[in-house]
Amino acid sequence: MALSAAASSDAGSQESHRFWRLFLWLTLGITVIRLAALFVTPLELYPDEAQYWLWSRDLAFGYFSKPPMLAWLIALTTGIGGDSEPFVRLSSSLLHAATGLILFRVGARLYDERTGFWGGVLYLLMPGVQLSVGIASTDAPLLFFAALALWAYVAFQARPSARTALFAGLALGGAFLSKYASLYLLIGVALHLISTPSARAGWTPMRVLAAATGLLVVAAPNLIWNALHDFSTVSHTAANANWNVADLFHPGEALEFLVSQTMVLGPVPFAAILIGAGLAAARRFDLSPSDRLLLAFVLPPLILVFIQALLSRANANWAAVAYTPAVILAAAWLLRWHAFRWFMGGLAFQIVVAVMVLVFGAWPHLADRAGLGSSFKRVRGWEVGTTRILDAAEALGPGTVIAADDRFLYNSLAYYGRDRLSGPDAPELTMWVREAHPQNQAEAEDPLTVDQGHRVLMASIEGRFRHEFEADFVRFDGWTDATVRLDPERTRDLAIGIGEGFAPQPRDPETGLPVPVSPTRP
């Protein structure tokens, strides 16, 4: 009997190591392919990515619209390899690979190695991850630290200790420095502790203090930075809610958010979450303790962001912290239901999406031929546009100031003009401030001033504010077209003009917007 038990244990251990080794090799292979595509693609930085790069040149504990983690990561990777696009984006691929490995361990601890393996595979092939690995965004560090915090919380439930509680707090702090949506994790902890009395047993006052200390030690610098900067990041994040009391019902936006989750998480995993949660709510499905724990972290962001979409609008990735526990829970339920065909069908869909994103991202001309060029219009044409604007500014001679009328244009000029703008006689790059108060970091830190406004090369994108832009100058010589072709079908509307005598018109004290003016200044 003893020999039989030992043999069974050895077989189980070998099976466990087999799943782990297979997942390690799979993660390595996928990551190498993604990194190759990252260094091959001709696609340029999206203006938000250029903004994050700009932040990384001046490290701080906070920035106008985001916490600092992504800027720190970009400073690290560009410090190693230089400022080219692949090194700006490098951390995303590496963090997503690490997140998959952590999720394997979460699934293995909560269920078994088989569940950990398939949950990790669902994550690595998640459509949202395919898009995220190719860009520099706050979602990659958020999901990494969220997975780390989830792993620590699960480990604490198995073996409570002050050390594990401290680690969970530190990981949550890292998620907080990545994106404020990390606060959904605290709601998940609260929901789990309320719904599962046995989960509260390990949380002695000392362990609660350890977790709180870990969180506050990491988060405090950003909180202090916000306090010293009028809570600009907090205010910007809150403003994204954009509630209008007179118009608080948008079923179309809510439906669009739900549909978007099928394309971010994957249709089969998302359907499994909805079906399992619905059956559990109807008491037709018994939840295991592990199910309850994961569901406590999955539901709050999905439900709260759905409500936000119903009241106003919501981006698909606003519920991102739900995805790390969701892939494990979806894998566990699909395996328990023996829904193997559905599982494989969902994975097949995700593999097709992954291959398409990789191929079209590496060779976007193939996307043009397939009629999908519009998907890449925001990551094309910025370098050409920058060259045209800087050529015009340098032709005006020393002392010229460039003023952009849009933060996207400003950020792209800063990145793609980084070498030319750093010269001793280079034109100075500024941002025209449209409203009474800054609405982004460019407006806050590099506003065009009256002292700079003797001769200004005005750079405008899309033409939305050109009328107001030129009205802020005593003299203006008209616009010159600088349109950039993005692909065979699309262009970006750019224009430049010379303004003299910058003298901003009044801004409405209530709306902050420019007071309406006639086309030409009297």
Side-chain angles (χ1 to χ4, degrees), residues 27-310:
T27 301
L28 178 62
I30 290 175
T31 303
V32 168
I33 293 171
R34 286 171 173 170
L35 290 175
L38 193 66
F39 281 85
V40 166
T41 179
L43 296 175
E44 300 171 5
L45 293 189
Y46 180 64
D48 276 345
E49 296 179 277
Q51 175 180 254
Y52 303 144
W53 170 85
L54 195 57
W55 291 353
S56 75
R57 305 303 91 187
D58 183 20
L59 295 181
F61 286 113
Y63 299 94
F64 189 92
S65 59
K66 294 286 191 300
M69 183 61 72
L70 180 57
W72 296 352
L73 290 168
I74 292 174
L76 175 63
T77 55
T78 55
I80 295 171
D83 292 321
S84 62
E85 292 93 338
F87 284 99
V88 173
R89 294 165 166 162
L90 181 61
S91 64
S92 291
S93 293
L94 301 179
L95 287 173
H96 281 302
T99 302
L101 296 175
I102 295 169
L103 292 177
F104 178 102
R105 289 302 182 188
V106 172
R109 183 178 284 270
L110 287 176
Y111 299 99
D112 53 36
E113 284 73 14
R114 181 168 175 250
T115 303
F117 174 84
W118 288 112
V121 169
L122 283 179
Y123 180 82
L124 291 178
L125 297 176
M126 197 172 79
V129 169
Q130 311 316 311
L131 299 175
S132 180
V133 293
I135 62 174
S137 78
T138 53
D139 288 334
L142 170 67
L143 292 172
F144 169 76
F145 284 108
L148 204 59
L150 178 63
W151 176 85
Y153 184 76
V154 169
F156 181 90
Q157 294 301 312
R159 185 174 296 179
S161 71
R163 179 183 300 179
T164 307
L166 174 64
F167 186 81
L170 293 172
L172 181 57
F176 181 83
L177 292 185
S178 303
K179 202 170 185 177
Y180 293 155
S182 60
L183 295 178
Y184 288 126
L185 295 170
L186 284 177
I187 299 175
V189 170
L191 183 58
H192 181 239
L193 295 179
I194 291 171
S195 63
T196 311
S198 61
R200 302 193 291 268
W203 286 101
T204 64
M206 183 60 68
R207 291 164 184 166
V208 171
L209 179 62
T213 299
L215 171 59
L216 289 176
V217 164
V218 178
N222 179 251
L223 295 174
I224 293 171
W225 183 92
N226 266 282
L228 296 175
H229 292 81
D230 300 320
F231 290 96
S232 61
T233 316
V234 176
S235 300
H236 176 84
T237 304
N240 282 334
N242 195 30
W243 290 359
N244 181 353
V245 178
D247 184 20
L248 283 179
F249 188 63
H250 300 84
E253 293 285 345
L255 179 60
E256 182 178 338
F257 170 74
L258 288 178
V259 172
S260 72
Q261 298 313 290
T262 68
M263 295 307 298
V264 173
L265 186 57
V268 172
F270 187 58
I273 294 297
L274 293 182
I275 292 170
L279 291 175
R283 299 184 181 278
R284 300 183 61 185
F285 178 50
D286 292 331
L287 297 175
S288 71
S290 295
D291 296 344
R292 292 182 183 277
L293 186 152
L294 291 175
L295 204 55
F297 287 91
V298 170
L299 291 181
L302 288 177
I303 292 173
L304 292 174
V305 178
F306 174 80
I307 293 172
Q308 160 63 28
L310 186 63

Side-chain angles (χ1 to χ4, degrees), residues 447-515:
L448 177 65
T449 65
V450 172
D451 291 340
Q452 297 169 311
H454 301 296
R455 183 178 59 193
V456 178
L457 181 76
M458 302 160 64
S460 177
I461 186 171
E462 306 300 344
R464 291 176 297 166
F465 308 128
R466 286 176 194 168
H467 191 54
E468 299 168 348
F469 197 3
E470 63 187 71
D472 276 349
F473 291 84
V474 174
R475 289 178 297 279
F476 173 64
D477 70 349
W479 294 103
T480 299
D481 181 65
T483 295
V484 174
R485 179 158 293 283
L486 307 179
D487 58 47
E489 298 181 2
R490 279 160 283 273
T491 59
R492 177 172 297 119
D493 177 15
L494 294 179
I496 53 177
I498 301 174
E500 298 179 342
F502 180 60
Q505 293 292 287
R507 267 50 176 174
D508 188 292
E510 293 185 5
T511 66
L513 299 175
V515 175

Side-chain angles (χ1 to χ4, degrees), residues 421-437:
L421 291 172
S422 62
D425 296 322
E428 187 174 359
L429 177 61
T430 67
M431 182 75 184
W432 171 68
V433 182
R434 178 174 181 253
E435 301 188 25
H437 303 288

